[in-house]
């Protein structure tokens, strides 16, 4: 039987939501001396970081040749490689409702739509604040003509709270330094959803990718007062099906060069006994992921599992290989669809949070080049079937993260931002806290007058 339209409207523009708040006072972000970064064509330098901006119609924003300038033991400065290339390789949105209306939905937002092609000009809203540098992007239309997206990439600095702090209880002296980050971002509108991709570089050597999800839910009408087993009611007569947003980041790390290996690091509980008489002992457990078959891994919050990329030929001052670790910092689901389903076969990359492959120039798309035209098995499942050696080589990490979305009324009529992402943190890459040399903030800017 026909289902009547939902009785409530879904408009969300300012003229349709009722009286607006009047008690929000302005916040002004100023940098009287200008920004601390420089941009020369696609070369960006900020503090001790250097990188090149890239763009791909499929992936969107790409970071190339990310280095950090450090002080060598002899006192000279050296630009040390960290990340050769970082991007979103693929993204899939499988729906969990098997009904006729929703069951066919499983969009590959990179492989079918193109996150770069769906990017939006940041002239259309207040997406960035501060002293901003915008970058236009030129792509090609289907007819091969130049297609310019003005202000496609936004770059600016943000204060990010306390970077480090300590108060000496003997002397009462306080030392505190503010954290700051360089933000490089773009926003893609893929159908009903917006995805904001925000790369952050920090003063202490951290690199972070944060994805912000917002936009409009895909909805369906239901009789008022009823629901379905695979959806949640978000308004009277309106339901939204359960679904997932799964991103796969391709991270070609070069930690002080290309001769790297990957280690899984987690906390291991020591059994009660002579080595643990108090029952409190735990220790770090390190497992080398030596072959592709060993490097299909899932996150484990209970053991604080992370993955460390090290350079065995470059030792730090305590005799350990220099490295960076991939830290799961937000939601990290894997694909819930059955492996033999259509989307399960074509989105095989999403069955694991981590895959590791040796660098191969042709291996760029986690689900293969044409996920919408392939019956399944392409990309990471096909490549890793060779079970190649990963030790002392140029490794590529493929990290799947995202959101399992069980819609709620607060997501309607437009969804508040939901966050997901990951962190790349130095682990023995530096000899000490690399943000020790950040100067104190002027006292006048920190205290009320």
């Amino acid at each position: 039987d026909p289902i009547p339209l939902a009785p409530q409207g879904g408009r969300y523009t300012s003229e349709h939501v009722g009286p607006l708040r009047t008690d929000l006072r302005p916040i002004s972000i100023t940098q009287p001396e200008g920004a601390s970064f420089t941009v020369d064509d696609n070369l960006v330098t900020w503090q001790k970081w250097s990188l090149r901006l890239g763009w791909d119609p499929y992936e969107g924003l790409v970071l190339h040749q990310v280095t950090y300038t450090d002080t060598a033991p002899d006192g000279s400065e050296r630009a040390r490689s960290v990340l050769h290339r970082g991007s979103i390789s693929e993204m899939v949105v499988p729906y969990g409702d098997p009904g006729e209306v929703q069951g066919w939905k499983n969009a590959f937002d990179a492989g079918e739509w193109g996150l770069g092609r769906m990017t939006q000009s940041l002239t259309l809203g207040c997406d960035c604040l501060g002293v901003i540098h915008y970058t236009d992007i030129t792509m090609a239309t289907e007819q091969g003509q130049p297609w310019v997206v003005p202000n496609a990439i936004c770059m600016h600095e943000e204060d990010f709270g306390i970077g480090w702090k300590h108060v000496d209880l003997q002397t009462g002296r306080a030392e505190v330094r503010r954290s700051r980050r360089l933000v490089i971002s773009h926003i893609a509108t893929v159908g009903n959803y917006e995805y904001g991709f925000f790369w952050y570089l920090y003063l202490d050597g951290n690199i972070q990718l944060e994805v912000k999800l917002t936009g409009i839910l895909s909805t369906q009408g239901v009789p008022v007062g009823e629901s379905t087993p695979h959806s949640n009611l978000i308004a009277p007569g309106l339901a939204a099906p359960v679904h997932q947003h799964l991103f796969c980041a391709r991270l070609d790390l070069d930690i002080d060069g290309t001769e790297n290996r990957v280690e899984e690091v987690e906390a291991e509980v020591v059994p009660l006994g002579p080595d643990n008489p108090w029952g409190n002992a735990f220790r770090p457990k390190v497992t080398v992921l030596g072959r592709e078959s060993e490097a299909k891994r899932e996150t484990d919050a209970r053991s604080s599992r992370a993955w460390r990329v090290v350079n065995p030929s470059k030792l730090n001052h305590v005799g350990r290989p220099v490295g960076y670790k991939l830290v799961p910092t937000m939601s990290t689901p894997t694909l819930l669809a059955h492996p033999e389903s259509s989307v399960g076969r074509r989105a095989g990359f999403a069955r694991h949070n981590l895959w590791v492959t040796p660098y191969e120039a042709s291996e760029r798309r986690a689900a293969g080049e044409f996920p919408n035209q392939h019956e399944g098995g392409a990309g990471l499942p096909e490549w890793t079937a060779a079970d190649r050696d990963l030790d002392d080589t140029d490794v590529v990490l493929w990290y799947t993260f995202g959101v399992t979305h069980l819609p709620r009324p607060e997501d309607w009529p437009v969804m508040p931002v939901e966050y997901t992402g990951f962190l790349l943190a130095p682990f023995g890459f530096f000899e000490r806290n690399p943000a020790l040399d950040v100067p104190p903030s002027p006292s006048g800017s920190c205290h009320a007058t």
Side-chain angles (χ1 to χ4, degrees):
D1 294 333
I3 298 172
L5 290 175
Q8 296 179 357
R11 294 183 175 182
Y12 56 87
T13 53
S14 58
E15 65 269 24
H16 291 106
V17 298
L20 301 179
R21 304 181 192 196
T22 59
D23 55 352
L24 278 175
R25 302 292 183 256
I27 294 178
S28 298
I29 299 172
T30 62
Q31 293 180 273
E33 299 179 19
S36 303
F37 60 84
T38 62
V39 182
D40 182 6
D41 195 11
N42 72 337
L43 176 63
V44 178
T45 55
W46 178 73
Q47 292 298 291
K48 300 183 179 184
W49 289 105
S50 172
L51 63 96
R52 290 189 179 274
L53 293 180
W55 189 264
D56 186 278
Y58 189 114
E59 301 163 294
L61 178 61
V62 182
L63 302 190
H64 294 271
Q65 300 174 6
V66 182
T67 67
Y68 191 98
T69 298
D70 190 20
T71 303
D74 63 3
S76 62
E77 290 191 337
R78 52 181 178 168
R80 304 175 64 189
S81 61
V82 177
L83 177 64
H84 181 69
R85 189 182 191 276
S87 67
I88 293 294
S89 166
E90 188 53 87
M91 179 190 168
V92 66
V93 186
Y95 279 73
D97 186 336
E100 292 182 71
V101 176
Q102 307 287 353
W104 58 274
K105 292 183 179 179
N106 47 71
F108 287 76
D109 285 354
E112 291 182 314
W113 289 77
L115 293 173
R117 289 179 56 81
M118 295 294 108
T119 202
Q120 296 298 311
S121 171
L122 299 178
T123 61
L124 301 177
C126 190
D127 302 289
C128 306
L129 288 177
V131 177
I132 301 167
H133 177 89
Y134 288 110
T135 300
D136 299 342
I137 291 299
T138 302
M139 293 178 284
T141 67
E142 284 82 353
Q143 292 74 37
Q145 299 302 313
W147 166 30
V148 178
V149 180
N151 292 17
I153 300 174
C154 170
M155 192 181 320
H156 67 286
E157 293 175 280
E158 290 180 347
D159 177 272
F160 198 64
I162 294 174
W164 59 264
K165 177 184 176 71
H166 184 62
V167 178
D168 190 309
L169 296 181
Q170 302 301 316
T171 66
R173 177 169 176 169
E175 292 286 341
V176 62
R177 302 293 187 271
R178 301 292 299 178
S179 177
R180 187 183 298 195
R181 63 188 185 186
L182 178 66
V183 184
I184 308 172
S185 64
H186 81 104
I187 298 174
T189 300
V190 187
N192 53 306
Y193 263 98
E194 263 78 18
Y195 302 104
F197 298 92
F198 292 76
W199 286 93
Y200 302 130
L201 302 180
Y202 292 87
L203 298 172
D204 59 2
N206 283 339
I207 304 172
Q208 182 184 5
L209 175 62
E210 183 176 69
V211 182
K212 301 180 182 182
L213 298 82
T214 181
I216 306 295
L217 293 170
S218 177
T219 60
Q220 64 186 56
V222 295
V224 174
E226 297 184 17
S227 62
T228 75
H230 308 284
S231 63
N232 282 341
L233 286 173
I234 58 172
L238 197 64
V242 297
H243 56 282
Q244 294 185 286
H245 304 262
L246 300 173
F247 306 85
C248 185
R250 181 183 182 275
L251 304 170
D252 182 1
L253 291 161
D254 286 354
I255 305 302
D256 266 348
T258 58
E259 295 180 357
N260 292 170
R261 73 166 179 240
V262 182
E263 301 172 341
E264 183 170 275
V265 184
E266 51 194 338
E268 179 183 48
V269 174
V270 179
L272 279 172
D275 293 334
N276 187 17
W278 298 95
N280 67 318
F282 63 94
R283 59 197 173 197
K285 176 185 176 184
V286 178
T287 304
V288 175
L289 305 181
R291 305 195 68 84
E292 288 177 297
S293 59
E294 302 166 356
K296 302 174 185 180
R297 307 296 295 162
E298 281 75 52
T299 60
D300 183 359
R302 294 174 299 175
S303 66
S304 298
R305 180 177 292 167
W307 297 283
R308 185 168 62 199
V309 180
V310 301
N311 187 329
S313 65
K314 302 289 179 65
L315 304 183
N316 57 29
H317 69 313
V318 293
R320 298 289 187 265
V322 298
Y324 258 74
K325 65 177 179 178
L326 170 60
V327 184
T329 57
M330 301 184 192
S331 56
T332 53
T334 53
L335 184 67
L336 296 175
H338 192 279
E340 294 305 316
S341 65
S342 174
V343 67
R345 294 193 305 270
R346 293 183 297 123
F349 72 89
R351 291 201 295 269
H352 303 287
N353 293 117
L354 180 78
W355 307 66
V356 184
T357 62
Y359 173 78
E360 167 56 52
S362 63
E363 297 176 2
R364 295 181 58 191
R365 318 298 191 200
E369 294 290 336
F370 307 106
N372 59 331
Q373 300 176 16
H374 199 282
E375 293 184 357
L380 283 168
E382 179 182 346
W383 305 330
T384 58
D387 198 19
R388 294 167 291 187
D389 183 22
L390 300 174
D391 198 24
D392 292 340
T393 190
D394 188 357
V395 294
V396 178
L397 275 61
W398 309 76
Y399 182 62
T400 297
F401 60 98
V403 172
T404 297
H405 194 172
L406 308 179
R408 55 185 180 141
E410 290 84 354
D411 292 331
W412 183 254
V414 63
M415 177 183 161
V417 164
E418 187 162 355
Y419 301 86
T420 185
F422 61 87
L423 179 70
L424 293 170
F427 195 111
F429 192 78
F430 302 104
E431 294 190 356
R432 59 202 310 205
N433 180 350
L436 280 177
D437 59 354
V438 175
S441 301
S443 58
S445 63
C446 302
H447 301 283
T449 57

